[in-house]
Every structure is written in C-alpha cells, then in structure tokens.
Amino acid sequence: KQFLRFTLVGFQSTFINYLFYIFIYNLFSNLLLASLVGYISGIFNSFIFGKKWVFRSLEATQKITIIKFVIVYLVGCLIMTLIINLLSKWGFEYRLAWLFGITYSIFNNFLGSKYFVFKNKL
C-alpha cells in the first residue's frame, strides 16, 4: 500500500515538475532555470506528500529530515545517471538504459525515505 502511494506521489511530482519546467521555460527561455525550478517543485511535492500521505510521519519537520530527504534523492539521481551512462556505453538502447536507471532510483527513493528519512514501521 505504501509503495502504491509512493508511486502515485511520484507521478504527481513528475507532472508538477513538468508543468513548472514548461512555465518557466516559456517565461524566461532559460533551460537551466526551468529544469532547476521544475525539479525543486517536484521534490517539494514529494517531500510533503511522502511525509504526510505515504509514510504518515507525525514528527515535526526538522532541517535534518529535509537534509536526509535531499541526500536520498540526490544519491538516487546520481546513481540513476551513472547507470544510464554506463549501460548506454555498453550498447544498451537508451530507453532500456533509462528504464534500468529509473527503476533503481524509484527503489532507492522509496527505501531511503521509508528507512532513513521518515523511519516509520508501517
């Protein structure tokens, strides 16, 4: 049940990321700014809904919780990128390489959030 909720929040966060990305890009024509604002908006959504709805954490949000969350997602992003690059260099088709990378990232982010960031025993 938690993983299903996590997945739904992930789709929602990706959609929000995309909406902000398109909006900022159309407003400023700056790809880097659009990517950054989109990513941050998606991460913010993931944190809020992950804490409240997915993992039902009742603890007050502290800076350390936010830092742990960012670390988990940063590790997921970096290793996902590494997986995609390595598999592409080894001859994997780019969509298949992305699928392996995103699969790692999803499980990294779920398990990291569950056992490191929010530590619920549900």
Side-chain angles (χ1 to χ4, degrees), residues 80-95:
M80 178 184 89
T81 303
L82 180 65
I83 289 169
I84 293 168
N85 284 327
L86 283 175
L87 292 179
S88 294
K89 286 181 182 180
W90 293 342
F92 282 71
E93 198 265 336
Y94 75 97
R95 287 174 286 215

Side-chain angles (χ1 to χ4, degrees), residues 5-112:
R5 287 181 181 198
F6 181 83
T7 302
L8 292 173
V9 169
F11 281 121
Q12 177 186 24
S13 297
T14 300
F15 183 68
I16 288 169
N17 178 335
Y18 182 71
L19 288 178
F20 273 89
Y21 171 78
I22 294 299
F23 177 73
I24 296 298
Y25 186 77
N26 286 330
L27 196 61
F28 298 107
S29 297
N30 184 317
L31 194 58
L32 182 60
L33 178 64
S35 296
L36 184 62
V37 170
Y39 189 74
I40 290 171
S41 66
I43 288 285
F44 181 76
N45 183 75
S46 293
F47 180 82
I48 297 298
F49 282 94
K51 180 182 186 312
K52 304 262 186 216
W53 189 56
V54 176
F55 300 106
R56 299 181 186 222
S57 177
L58 300 176
E59 295 179 7
T61 301
Q62 299 177 357
K63 286 182 185 178
I64 191 67
T65 306
I66 295 168
I67 291 168
K68 287 178 174 182
F69 183 83
V70 170
I71 288 170
V72 166
Y73 274 71
L74 185 59
V75 167
C77 175
L78 292 174
I79 295 177
M80 178 184 89
T81 303
L82 180 65
I83 289 169
I84 293 168
N85 284 327
L86 283 175
L87 292 179
S88 294
K89 286 181 182 180
W90 293 342
F92 282 71
E93 198 265 336
Y94 75 97
R95 287 174 286 215
L96 185 59
W98 181 86
L99 185 62
F100 280 109
I102 197 68
T103 299
Y104 167 81
S105 182
I106 289 167
F107 283 103
N108 174 82
N109 295 348
F110 176 74
L111 295 172

